[in-house]
Amino acid sequence: MTEGRVKMRVIKGIPASGGVAIGKGFFLNRILPRSVRSTVGREQVDEEVAAFQRAVARSREQILLIRDGVADSSSEHHQILSVHLALLEDSMLVEETVRMIRENQFAADWAFNKVLQNLLETFHRIEDPYLRERGHDLRQIGHRVLENLAGRPVDSVAAIRDPVVIVAHDLSPADTAQILKSPVLGFATDVGSRTSHTAITARSLGIPAVVGAEGATEEYRSAGMVIVDGEEGVVVFDPNEETIREYQDRRKAYAQRTRDLAKFARLPTVTRDGKTLLLLANIEFPEEADVALRSGAYGVGLYRTEFLFLNRKDLPTEEEHFETYRKVAEKFVRHPVTIRTFDLGGDKFTSQLELAEEMNPAMGLRAIRFCLKEKEIFKPQLRAILRASTYGKVRMMFPMISGVGELREAIAVVDEVRGELRRRRIPYDKEMPIGIMIEIPSAAIVADLLAREAGFFSIGTNDLIQYSLAIDRVNEHVSYLYEPLHPAILRMIRRVVEAGHDAGIPVSMCGEMAGEPFYSYALLGLGLDELSMNAAAIPRVKRILRKSVAYEAKEFAGALLLHATATEIGRALRKKVEDLFPDERF
């Protein structure tokens, strides 16, 4: 496309996976087709039900074919595609659609679309970003069923033969599984976040990607060439020659930086004056352990276990828990693996748990509160973690602890489980540390009391910031108040670190803040012992910390705490890190 004929368009999104892709655009239609409210005659109801069931069966066959083409049956792709198959059997999706067709004489596409939209709204209300993103899995299933119901072919990534940059509303796990074998240079999607499976997959594949680029599919307009800048979160359609040259230079520079960073992966995280920090990885699936190891992770600081409970009709067995945890413990054998007991309940959806609706589920019956109420669900997980502890350096961590009473109650359940294992002569690590997440202001305030009874702390900044500043992160009207550098947050972090150190226990941070290089120098100064983050962030954070002097960072952090606003703190921090690390981009 020559300059002048078509105007260049640029839109911003969320940088999901680093690097720059430049190539011919390819539009992958993943937009839900519209349905119009319509009914059928009583005599056509059976036919509508049969047509819907054929569309579901056809969708199932297509996904099975793709899943069976994934070589590693334990891979993330395989597991997500299995989740999609389970969704196609979900009574809330399939049986409810059949009921609506029969009771209301709705046309199949309208009935299915209505059920689908109701379920999507449920996911949209979920506070936890990771679980909320699972709603996209449901949307992708819906797209496939509706296309099959309409008798239209579903676009396939496997059909791509030439190098392209994909533009789509969203990509399904089926799409990303096929990207592995396709000449796809990068992609941009209308929706998604850094925690969406699409973004996670892009990072694991090393493909440049921008998600949440609202309007990308509208701007596509059969663009000849598309540029995806996965570092800045920029998508350019029909770039002019000057822009192409600029991004070609950026692509070369990124490749060079990646090669430079790779040298740091195997080096220890030691500051210039000899202070050692441990950089660990946040993971959600066992197969992420290999990526974490390659990135230089010293262990796992946050192993989320909710995936085991999602989108299934039954609860995971103790053996399923155990095998999953053992696999990761063996990978890291000499390094810590911190398994967080499940953080479900309240607003966090699982199909097999029939939970009553709550007025304010984010602060309701969830996480450790739910576990202490439903001990028969909690105990199998505890037994599995204890059993896995003999295969490596496993640590157990409770989420959302609000005070000492709750911690004691949780430890009492662990003691019951230990007794059961002893009676059954099943081995476990008797010295396994048991720690807690500090993510509620009350826990930060009584950190000195909690530190006497916890084996370690891990600061969950995402919730701690939300609850401390009383803002809803997903509410666009107040999300601007989500300020990690708010003086209250920094003071709380320092308070927790000091309480932990006074009691002789390590203090980690496993929220998003830990993996953002801009904050690394301040977190070093605040005295944290461990930072746990997305594996891809480890080499860069490691490089910054290795260039730092710990005692100078401590003095600087002390001065930061004297500022009155997040803006002032941010300004001071930016000046400092740009002076200290002129070669870094913040």
Side-chain angles (χ1 to χ4, degrees):
M1 195 68 65
T2 57
E3 185 180 359
R5 287 179 55 197
V6 179
K7 188 179 177 185
M8 183 174 81
R9 286 96 63 205
V10 180
I11 61 174
K12 281 282 289 180
I14 299 168
S17 179
V20 174
I22 305 172
K24 183 174 169 37
F26 181 92
F27 177 63
L28 195 65
N29 183 11
R30 291 292 180 263
I31 299 171
L32 277 178
R34 291 187 177 182
S35 295
V36 179
R37 180 188 171 94
S38 57
T39 55
V40 296
R42 174 81 45 198
E43 70 283 1
Q44 293 174 283
V45 165
D46 286 345
E47 191 179 323
E48 286 297 296
V49 169
F52 170 65
Q53 290 173 333
R54 280 196 300 274
V56 171
R58 177 70 181 137
S59 301
R60 180 176 171 74
E61 288 169 11
Q62 292 166 346
I63 297 172
L64 262 175
L65 189 65
I66 297 168
R67 190 193 69 171
D68 292 347
V70 178
D72 182 359
S73 63
S74 66
S75 69
E76 179 185 348
H77 278 113
H78 201 282
Q79 289 185 39
I80 294 177
L81 288 166
S82 296
V83 168
H84 278 207
L85 289 170
L87 280 171
L88 282 171
E89 296 174 356
D90 195 305
S91 60
M92 286 188 292
L93 189 67
V94 179
E95 293 176 18
E96 179 63 9
T97 300
V98 172
R99 186 191 68 76
M100 291 191 73
I101 295 172
R102 292 198 180 285
E103 292 186 2
N104 303 296
Q105 294 176 232
F106 284 146
D109 64 329
W110 172 252
F112 179 68
N113 222 329
K114 192 167 178 58
V115 171
L116 183 65
Q117 293 302 331
N118 288 341
L119 287 173
L120 289 174
E121 282 180 23
T122 301
F123 272 94
H124 184 69
R125 289 196 297 270
I126 294 175
E127 186 275 332
D128 180 85
Y130 170 75
L131 295 174
R132 190 170 58 249
E133 286 299 334
R134 304 288 75 79
H136 291 303
D137 293 336
L138 190 62
R139 182 184 293 275
Q140 290 152 1
I141 282 293
H143 175 270
R144 186 175 291 276
V145 170
L146 286 168
E147 291 294 81
N148 281 318
L149 193 53
R152 290 188 291 263
V154 181
D155 285 347
S156 171
V157 175
I160 297 173
R161 293 288 177 267
D162 300 316
V164 294
V165 175
I166 288 178
V167 180
H169 180 69
D170 196 8
L171 296 177
S172 71
D175 296 325
T176 50
Q178 292 170 326
I179 283 176
L180 283 167
K181 301 174 182 174
S182 302
V184 174
L185 302 171
F187 60 78
T189 59
D190 289 332
V191 299
S193 71
R194 280 189 61 81
T195 54
S196 64
H197 76 80
T198 315
I200 292 168
T201 302
R203 288 194 287 274
S204 68
L205 296 176
I207 293 177
V210 175
V211 299
E214 192 175 351
T217 52
E218 290 178 18
E219 290 292 349
Y220 177 72
R221 300 182 206 161
S222 299
M225 182 171 282
V226 178
I227 294 174
V228 167
D229 182 349
E231 289 186 274
E232 300 292 334
V234 171
V235 186
V236 186
F237 297 95
D238 293 312
N240 56 35
E241 294 300 325
E242 183 184 352
T243 304
I244 292 172
R245 282 195 296 274
E246 177 192 340
Y247 276 96
Q248 285 172 334
D249 290 343
R250 289 191 189 191
R251 186 169 58 184
K252 288 178 190 170
Y254 178 81
Q256 184 59 49
R257 285 200 300 277
T258 301
R259 286 193 291 273
D260 292 344
L261 277 174
K263 300 170 189 169
F264 289 84
R266 295 193 177 280
L267 298 176
T269 314
V270 182
T271 64
R272 286 166 52 202
D273 54 340
K275 178 179 170 63
T276 299
L277 270 85
L278 303 183
L279 300 192
L280 302 94
N282 294 345
I283 69 168
E284 293 157 7
F285 304 99
E287 59 266 29
E288 288 181 84
D290 288 327
V291 177
L293 283 166
R294 285 198 298 273
S295 300
Y298 181 80
V300 176
L302 172 63
Y303 185 4
R304 304 177 72 162
T305 58
E306 291 77 36
F307 185 77
L308 282 165
F309 291 81
L310 292 175
N311 303 319
R312 48 189 292 167
K313 292 180 178 177
D314 55 351
L315 292 165
T317 65
E318 179 181 322
E319 284 306 305
E320 285 179 85
H321 280 292
F322 168 67
E323 286 300 329
T324 306
Y325 307 151
R326 180 183 61 80
K327 204 179 288 184
V328 176
E330 287 180 333
K331 287 273 186 189
F332 282 91
V333 68
R334 288 189 297 277
H335 300 303
V337 172
T338 312
I339 302 174
R340 184 179 73 179
T341 59
F342 70 82
D343 185 359
L344 293 173
D347 65 327
K348 302 201 172 187
F349 177 85
T350 56
S351 57
Q352 74 275 39
L353 302 178
E354 295 180 2
L355 304 172
E357 287 193 14
E358 297 180 90
M359 289 293 289
N360 192 346
M363 297 188 193
L365 185 63
R366 53 169 280 210
I368 195 66
R369 304 165 184 181
F370 177 82
C371 291
L372 293 176
K373 182 173 182 293
E374 302 289 345
K375 293 191 180 68
E376 294 314 306
I377 297 175
F378 192 28
K379 284 184 174 180
Q381 184 182 34
L382 297 182
R383 280 195 294 271
I385 295 172
L386 284 163
R387 288 170 57 195
S389 66
T390 61
Y391 291 85
K393 294 180 67 175
V394 172
R395 307 190 293 197
M396 182 186 292
M397 181 163 72
F398 299 132
M400 215 177 174
I401 289 285
S402 62
V404 172
E406 216 166 31
L407 173 59
R408 287 176 181 170
E409 197 178 345
I411 290 176
V413 181
V414 176
D415 286 339
E416 283 180 42
V417 172
R418 283 174 171 148
E420 292 172 21
L421 294 176
R422 278 198 301 275
R423 287 190 291 278
R424 290 162 55 194
R425 298 181 183 279
I426 296 175
Y428 63 88
D429 177 6
K430 296 179 177 57
E431 305 299 322
M432 181 187 72
I434 298 178
I436 63 172
M437 287 188 72
I438 301 287
E439 51 188 340
I440 298 180
S442 65
I445 292 168
V446 299
D448 57 325
L449 304 177
L450 286 164
R452 298 173 190 167
E453 306 188 29
F456 61 92
F457 286 158
S458 186
I459 301 174
T461 49
N462 300 357
D463 275 344
L464 184 62
I465 295 168
Q466 172 170 245
Y467 295 140
S468 298
L469 304 182
I471 55 106
D472 181 349
R473 275 181 290 162
V474 299
N475 182 332
E476 65 272 23
H477 300 297
V478 294
S479 59
Y480 72 96
L481 291 170
Y482 187 83
E483 296 177 314
L485 293 179
H486 192 290
I489 302 301
L490 295 191
R491 288 170 186 234
M492 240 182 285
I493 292 171
R494 185 175 68 170
R495 181 187 184 91
V496 172
V497 170
E498 288 177 348
H501 289 175
D502 286 347
I505 65 171
V507 182
S508 175
M509 177 181 284
C510 60
E512 289 294 317
M513 195 173 176
E516 174 53 60
F518 178 60
Y519 302 131
S520 300
Y521 189 71
L523 298 180
L524 169 67
L526 289 170
L528 286 146
D529 304 295
E530 303 173 0
L531 299 175
S532 189
M533 61 197 75
N534 182 297
I538 289 175
R540 190 169 171 213
V541 171
K542 189 177 286 191
R543 182 167 68 180
I544 290 170
L545 293 174
R546 284 176 58 87
K547 290 178 182 173
S548 304
V549 177
Y551 81 86
E552 291 177 353
K554 184 177 180 181
E555 286 182 4
F556 175 72
L560 273 187
L561 293 169
L562 300 177
H563 290 290
T565 69
T567 302
E568 292 173 13
I569 292 174
R571 193 181 300 128
L573 179 58
R574 180 162 296 282
K575 182 175 186 318
K576 187 70 176 179
V577 297
E578 287 180 349
D579 286 347
L580 285 176
F581 316 110
D583 297 333
E584 298 287 344
R585 299 173 66 189
F586 295 102

